[in-house]
Structures are given as structure tokens and as C-alpha cells.
């Protein structure tokens, strides 16, 4: 039972344009959401997070939006750069809970 | 700087062999985790540990065991490796309370022939 779903296995965008990666979850009790970025042959690295009391969090070129009623979050990258090409995982957890659920990942390719 | 290291980047073993994957973190984190990553399935939790000598099963513990004798070290053991355990194995660690982030090691690509 996959509680966190990333329905797009891949996304290709042109350098300088916006990348939008999407994630849906089924457990309404999740209250903390994260995005990780993974390059080949490396472990995932933390990118940005958002708690359920917010609907938006920004960090430089990266913005995460949370729509609790739709159980949907998205990651916007503006402007996209070739170095952003990687697999992006979304994850969700409960507060103070060791059980973090990950989506299957979306492979982003940014073309020069 | 946060550091999680794994003993091997690539490993090739034969069916039936006992396999040990080691993970070490230098952040004094209480929690440590073992995941496997497979295409289309994302990261699935095998086991985690919230303290020395303590462990909890994740979603897919069958065929695996773990050991945590010291706070900084968490080992994953494949008792009798099988071909369906060919995968990327990722170790992570985190603090124990509040809104925490898991920090990952570089992964071990295990192939079982």
C-alpha cells in the first residue's frame, strides 16, 4: 500500500524554465513533508520540507506547496538548471514518528 | 559536516551467502535506518533502530536482520542471500525528536548471482 505516490516517473524541461514535480498522499494524518534529491551513485540529500501548518515554503529557487484538502504537494524549481537533473523523492511522516514514507521518485532532466 | 558512510559501494555475492552491510554515522544520531531502493517502488524501509540494541521492523524485514551494538554503527545482515535481494541499499540516520531530517549514506549496490 503506497501511501505516497509520484505518478510521473520522469519529467523533461528546458534550462531556465519552471520544473513542477508532483506528489500525492493518502494518509491525512501525515503532517510533515520533505523533498529529497538523488544523483546517480549517491544517497538522497535533503532539499526542502514543509509542515502541515503551512501551505508554502521557499528556499532560493525551490518552493514547496502543500494542499491539505487535496492531499497534494508540489515542488517548483525556478529557474531550472542542468545541475538540477536528478531523481526527486517526496516523503511524508507523522510528527515525532520514525516511519517516513517515500514516493517512487521522479527523474528530472533539464536540457541546456 | 553531516556524514553517513557505508562499507561498500558495490558488492557481488552468490545465492545462499551471508552478507553484511555496514553503516556508520558521526552525528551522534539516535535513529538509524536501512532502506532498499528499487525502480518504480522508491525507498522501502527494512528495519530501523532508535537506540543501541533496539530495533523495529519496517515494511519488508523478511530475509533480513540487523545489529546495533554501538550508537554510531548499524549493520544489515542478509542471512542467506537470494537473487530477489539484488538492490540498492541505503542507510540513514536522524535525531529522535521533533521534525527531523534523515541523512543518507551513498548506498551499496548489491548484486546476488
Amino acid at each position: 500500500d503506497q501511501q505516497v505516490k509520484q505518478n510521473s516517473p520522469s519529467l523533461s524541461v528546458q534550462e531556465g524554465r519552471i520544473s513542477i514535480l508532483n506528489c500525492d498522499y493518502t494518509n491525512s494524518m501525515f503532517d510533515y513533508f520533505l523533498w529529497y534529491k538523488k544523483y546517480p551513485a549517491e544517497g538522497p540529500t535533503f532539499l526542502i520540507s514543509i509542515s502541515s501548518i503551512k501551505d508554502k515554503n521557499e528556499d532560493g529557487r525551490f518552493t514547496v506547496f502543500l494542499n491539505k484538502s487535496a492531499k497534494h504537494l508540489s515542488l517548483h524549481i525556478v529557474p531550472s538548471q542542468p545541475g538540477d537533473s536528478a531523481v526527486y523523492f517526496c516523503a511524508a511522516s507523522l510528527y515525532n514518528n520514525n516511519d517516513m514514507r517515500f514516493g517512487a521518485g521522479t527523474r528530472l532532466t533539464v536540457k541546456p | 559536516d553531516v556524514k553517513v558512510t557505508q562499507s561498500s559501494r558495490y558488492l557481488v555475492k552468490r545465492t545462499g551467502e551471508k552478507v553484511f552491510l555496514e553503516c556508520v554515522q558521526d552525528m551522534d544520531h539516535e535513529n538509524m535506518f536501512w532502506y532498499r531502493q528499487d525502480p518504480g517502488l522508491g525507498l522501502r524501509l527494512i528495519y530501523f533502530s532508535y537506540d543501541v540494541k533496539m530495533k523495529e521492523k519496517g515494511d519488508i524485514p523478511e530475509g533480513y536482520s540487523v545489529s546495533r551494538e554501538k550508537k554510531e554503527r548499524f549493520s544489515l545482515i542478509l542471512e542467506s542471500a537470494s537473487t530477489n535481494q539484488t538492490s540498492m541499499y541505503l542507510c540513514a540516520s536522524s535525531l529522535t525528536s521533533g521534525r527531523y531530517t534523515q541523512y543518507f549514506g551513498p548506498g551499496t549496490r548489491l548484486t546476488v548471482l
Side-chain angles (χ1 to χ4, degrees):
Chain A
D1 174 30
Q2 223 167 350
Q3 296 186 47
V4 178
K5 295 181 182 179
Q6 293 176 258
N7 292 320
S8 298
S10 64
L11 175 68
S12 181
V13 301
Q14 208 66 36
E15 180 179 6
R17 306 295 290 268
I18 184 171
S19 296
I20 301 175
L21 295 93
N22 294 302
C23 180
D24 297 296
Y25 59 96
T26 57
N27 188 345
S28 57
M29 298 300 291
F30 286 141
D31 64 352
Y32 187 51
F33 305 89
L34 308 91
W35 285 94
Y36 281 84
K37 177 179 177 179
K38 185 181 184 301
Y39 292 117
E42 294 183 16
T45 54
F46 169 73
L47 190 58
I48 193 169
S49 64
I50 188 168
S51 73
S52 59
I53 60 173
K54 292 186 170 183
D55 55 17
K56 177 182 171 182
N57 189 27
E58 280 183 86
D59 184 2
R61 296 185 297 114
F62 302 91
T63 303
V64 57
F65 294 92
L66 176 63
N67 183 333
K68 290 184 286 295
S69 60
K71 297 195 192 71
H72 178 84
L73 68 155
S74 61
L75 175 69
H76 292 210
I77 307 173
V78 184
S80 301
Q81 300 173 354
D84 296 329
S85 297
V87 177
Y88 290 78
F89 291 99
C90 102
S93 73
L94 303 172
Y95 183 83
N96 238 1
N97 189 305
N98 291 313
D99 193 358
M100 187 173 291
R101 299 286 170 157
F102 287 83
T106 296
R107 181 177 301 279
L108 174 66
T109 303
V110 181
K111 297 179 180 177
Chain B
D1 197 17
V2 164
K3 193 117 177 150
V4 179
T5 56
Q6 295 183 229
S7 52
S8 305
R9 296 299 298 271
Y10 300 93
L11 212 51
V12 179
K13 296 291 182 182
R14 298 219 172 264
T15 301
E17 280 193 79
K18 191 168 186 175
V19 182
F20 292 87
L21 303 182
E22 302 283 333
C23 175
V24 177
Q25 51 97 2
D26 65 358
M27 297 164 284
D28 202 33
H29 283 171
E30 293 86 0
N31 294 340
M32 296 189 75
F33 307 82
W34 276 106
Y35 293 89
R36 62 178 281 178
Q37 181 200 352
D38 299 290
L41 297 176
L43 278 69
R44 293 180 294 165
L45 183 63
I46 304 171
Y47 268 97
F48 71 92
S49 168
Y50 52 89
D51 201 351
V52 175
K53 297 192 187 294
M54 306 302 287
K55 61 185 179 185
E56 291 283 343
K57 292 181 180 178
D59 293 328
I60 50 165
E62 297 78 19
Y64 303 95
S65 62
V66 290
S67 171
R68 192 163 180 204
E69 297 296 320
K70 293 185 178 181
K71 189 177 185 180
E72 67 271 17
R73 190 178 297 268
F74 191 35
S75 302
L76 180 69
I77 304 151
L78 286 67
E79 297 290 343
S80 177
S82 63
T83 54
N84 62 13
Q85 292 178 310
T86 291
S87 186
M88 169 69 84
Y89 289 88
L90 293 160
C91 173
S93 72
S94 75
L95 292 168
T96 196
S97 61
R99 304 212 179 276
Y100 60 88
T101 298
Q102 292 187 16
Y103 295 91
F104 284 84
T108 296
R109 170 72 65 185
L110 173 67
T111 302
V112 182
L113 302 174

